[in-house]
Amino acid sequence: MARTRCDRTPAWAQLQAHYQSHGKQLDLRDAFAQDAQRFARFSQEAPYVFADLSKNRIDATTEALLLDLARQSGVQEHRDAMFAGEKINNTEQREVLHVLLRNPAAVQSGIAQEATLFIATEQAKVHTTLDAMLAYAEKVRADKAITDVVNIGIGGSDLGPQMAVLALDAFATTGKRLHFVSNVDGHELAAKLPHLKAESTVFLIASKTFTTIETMTNAASAKAWFEAQGGTDIARHFAALTTNVPAANAFGITTTFGFWDWVGGRYSMWSAIGLPLAIAIGAAGFREFLAGAHAMDEHFRTAPLESNLPVRLGLLDVWYRNFHGFTSRSIAPYHSALRRVPAYLQQLEMESNGKRVDASGEALPFGTSPVLWGEPGTNGQHAYFQMLHQGTDVVPVEFIAVKKARHDLKGHHPMLLANVLAQAQALMVGKSDAGGHKHFTGNRPSTFLLLEDLTPASLGALIALQEHRVFVSGSLWGINSFDQWGVELGKVLAKDIEPRLASGDATGLDGSTAGLLARLRG
Ligand SMILES: O=P(O)(O)OC[C@H]1O[C@](O)(CO)[C@@H](O)[C@@H]1O
């Protein structure tokens, strides 16, 4: 697989020169004035998602050079290697095949015989497990005695299903209450338990590894509570979603749905980890969700680079991070059901691309993952948008809007859409007030993602789009987007500190940790 780190390509130097001569001065207002076709030129259709990129600080030369950067870095080859089942997660020697989870059939052409065989075998397992998991979801949905489903998991075993269950609330037809418990902070689980009854609750223990301390602690407490309430039928009231079925069995759970180590935690909601969503919207809805993601996979896999939305977004991310030096991106979903999307994207992008070394371990001489943050519009407008409009830092904003409303409250949706348009417009056009307090500099960039309707399929496509744009920027940066060693140190230290809270032993601790330990014990 030919992969060249972006800063080692000829296009990188050309982009630097272009940034100095044109890029940094580009004014969006002039760009629109000079080009009546700018909206059409810088917008992109993809399955279920229309993207307006025209309010970004790019021109035709920028795009051409960025596309050269993609070609010279080997993004296409890297993408093909992922789809072909190569072990592109090199630090863990694993394939990266979450796309298989939403692939309707094991059709792969032009790849090595060995990979074809591997993919076909894994694909068969995916479909068998999917059928079993969806049959279970339907069983729970049909079970009148079950009123509550509690998902216990954290990170990728929580954020995805939680985000999707909220997003697709309009499609939730079960009448069952879905709860998500992630934090090891006992306040979270303790607040739920008094409202649950053992005989009417199903606990889903979601953990890829089945070793994560938060999830194991919550799962043990949930099981102890269940038994203390007189519950005995663990097989009916507990299910495990995991790659580590033996550990789930050892924990006493016999109802299990597996997945595989070629699925990263933050890429796992398409697997058994999606069970809460399948229970909420049903098997057919879940299959539509997968189909929407698959449509985006096909777009990413086959569309030419210049009309490939994940590629265009990933290139833009690199342009902003490494040439403009923007360090964050604000996500502004103008749909209250998408309120957990910013949190979901934080893990997706920051855990994938928050790396300081390339895939070979060499320190990178440029910035990588931006900070992602945001709240739903219009709420954000009345909080931090002040800074977006008039602060000293430029923060590119990614608006997400949905054309169709699924409520009939008069006037709300046009007002919501007017606001999202107005915010994007205000950021760009600004307002002159001779440099005073009411002055808006304008020329602040934004991307506008538009869905016709928020459905299982469009949500699937939107999230797959985000996965692939993260792939593209990570690929350009030459990093391994599929490991997360940065989460390990804190886990190890917490294990060391926990017994010290009981013993008070501060041997070898730094002064601050020792001081705080003493206060917490006092
Ligand atoms: O599903 P698991 O194995 O419990 O892991 C939960 C989360 O913890 C992490 O490994 C980080 O610690 C994430 O990557 C993952 O999504």
Side-chain angles (χ1 to χ4, degrees):
M1 177 191 48
R3 218 181 147 191
T4 306
R5 213 173 72 192
C6 57
D7 59 319
R8 294 175 173 150
T9 63
W12 183 264
Q14 289 170 304
L15 278 160
Q16 278 174 326
H18 168 68
Y19 175 73
Q20 290 304 335
S21 63
H22 292 85
K24 87 177 158 188
Q25 294 90 312
L26 188 139
D27 189 300
L28 291 164
R29 294 157 289 203
D30 296 342
F32 274 98
Q34 284 156 16
D35 182 3
Q37 296 307 311
R38 185 172 171 88
F39 175 74
R41 214 185 295 285
F42 293 100
S43 55
Q44 182 65 56
E45 290 277 3
Y48 300 96
V49 184
F50 172 82
D52 171 20
L53 309 175
S54 64
K55 291 204 239 26
N56 283 296
R57 292 196 195 168
I58 47 176
D59 60 16
T61 311
T62 324
E63 273 236 316
L65 289 174
L66 286 170
L67 289 165
D68 285 346
L69 187 76
R71 284 186 207 100
Q72 292 168 11
S73 301
V75 168
Q76 276 159 295
E77 290 80 357
H78 194 213
R79 172 200 64 192
D80 294 346
M82 172 174 77
F83 278 93
E86 285 183 32
K87 294 190 173 171
I88 62 167
N89 174 356
N90 65 309
T91 61
E92 297 177 310
Q93 273 305 298
R94 288 178 184 166
E95 305 82 5
V96 175
L97 279 171
H98 47 277
V99 292
L100 273 196
L101 299 168
R102 55 238 187 173
N103 201 26
V107 189
Q108 295 282 330
S109 54
I111 60 176
Q113 184 73 21
E114 198 188 330
T116 310
L117 200 64
F118 174 77
I119 285 182
T121 315
E122 298 308 293
Q123 185 75 80
K125 291 191 215 162
V126 164
H127 289 149
T128 307
T129 308
L130 177 63
D131 290 346
M133 181 272 237
L134 293 182
Y136 176 80
E138 287 299 334
K139 198 175 99 187
V140 173
R141 282 163 63 81
D143 190 337
K144 297 259 182 316
I146 300 298
T147 55
D148 293 84
V149 177
V150 183
N151 189 79
I152 294 181
I154 197 165
S157 299
D158 166 70
L159 289 163
Q162 188 187 152
M163 175 277 291
V165 164
L166 288 170
L168 297 175
D169 184 53
F171 294 81
T173 46
T174 49
K176 308 217 184 286
R177 289 179 290 267
L178 278 116
H179 312 267
F180 290 85
V181 173
S182 54
N183 204 321
V184 75
D185 180 351
H187 291 106
E188 201 170 53
L189 180 61
K192 303 251 179 238
L193 294 177
H195 306 289
L196 301 173
K197 290 200 178 83
E199 67 273 16
S200 57
T201 302
V202 165
F203 290 96
L204 305 175
I205 313 302
S207 176
K208 176 178 169 179
T209 54
F210 224 80
T211 57
T212 305
I213 205 73
E214 290 88 342
T215 302
M216 294 302 101
T217 306
N218 279 320
S221 296
K223 193 159 158 252
W225 170 86
F226 177 78
E227 286 164 349
Q229 303 292 305
T232 49
D233 194 351
I234 300 274
R236 175 169 147 79
H237 291 276
F238 281 79
L241 324 173
T242 184
T243 59
N244 190 355
V245 172
N249 295 155
F251 184 83
I253 300 181
T254 50
T255 308
T256 60
F257 301 97
F259 60 110
W260 306 275
D261 65 8
W262 43 258
V263 185
R266 54 195 172 274
Y267 299 88
S268 67
M269 79 167 147
W270 324 96
S271 72
I273 294 294
L275 184 54
L277 179 64
I279 291 174
I281 66 172
F286 194 80
R287 286 191 192 275
E288 283 170 28
F289 174 65
L290 297 183
H294 177 66
M296 189 60 77
D297 294 342
E298 286 302 280
H299 170 78
F300 179 49
R301 194 172 69 84
T302 62
L305 293 189
E306 61 275 15
S307 53
N308 193 312
L309 185 55
V311 171
R312 292 182 84 178
L313 286 176
L315 287 169
L316 189 59
D317 294 340
V318 169
W319 174 240
Y320 280 162
R321 184 72 186 92
N322 301 123
F323 297 89
H324 282 275
F326 301 150
T327 54
S328 90
R329 179 162 82 247
S330 188
I331 313 296
Y334 273 66
H335 195 303
S336 71
L338 297 177
R339 60 191 173 278
R340 289 296 283 168
V341 165
Y344 177 82
L345 295 181
Q346 275 174 344
Q347 185 194 19
L348 177 63
E349 186 146 348
M350 294 164 77
E351 199 172 72
S352 296
N353 287 345
K355 313 279 166 70
R356 54 167 287 284
V357 296
D358 66 17
S360 67
E362 199 180 314
L364 291 168
F366 49 74
T368 58
S369 176
V371 175
L372 264 64
W373 57 284
E375 286 285 328
T378 58
N379 301 8
Q381 288 172 212
H382 298 275
Y384 53 78
F385 267 56
Q386 162 66 36
M387 179 266 198
L388 297 180
H389 288 291
Q390 288 190 316
T392 49
D393 290 294
V394 173
V395 179
V397 181
E398 190 152 301
F399 293 100
I400 306 173
V402 181
K403 189 169 158 188
K404 183 176 162 176
R406 285 184 169 264
H407 63 76
D408 50 18
L409 294 176
K410 215 165 167 289
H412 286 249
H413 207 60
M415 204 180 289
L416 179 72
L417 294 180
N419 269 278
V420 65
L421 285 175
Q423 290 301 320
Q425 185 189 22
L427 284 166
M428 177 174 79
V429 299
K431 182 171 174 285
S432 196
D433 181 43
H437 294 291
K438 295 179 183 169
H439 184 73
F440 292 69
T441 56
N443 200 29
R444 300 204 166 198
S446 66
T447 294
F448 200 105
L449 301 181
L450 179 60
L451 311 182
E452 275 293 310
D453 191 3
L454 182 57
T455 62
S458 70
L459 182 72
L462 177 70
I463 299 302
L465 167 67
Q466 300 289 347
E467 288 179 349
H468 295 322
R469 68 105 66 93
V470 168
F471 177 92
V472 170
S473 53
S475 178
L476 290 161
W477 286 326
I479 61 189
N480 176 7
S481 301
F482 300 100
D483 62 11
Q484 59 285 319
W485 297 108
V487 300
E488 293 307 318
L489 180 59
K491 293 184 189 174
V492 172
L493 294 180
K495 267 203 184 124
D496 170 68
I497 290 175
E498 201 198 340
R500 294 176 187 262
L501 278 163
S503 70
D505 176 15
T507 319
L509 292 181
D510 62 86
S512 169
T513 309
L516 290 169
L517 183 78
R519 272 193 92 90
L520 284 167
R521 282 173 45 77

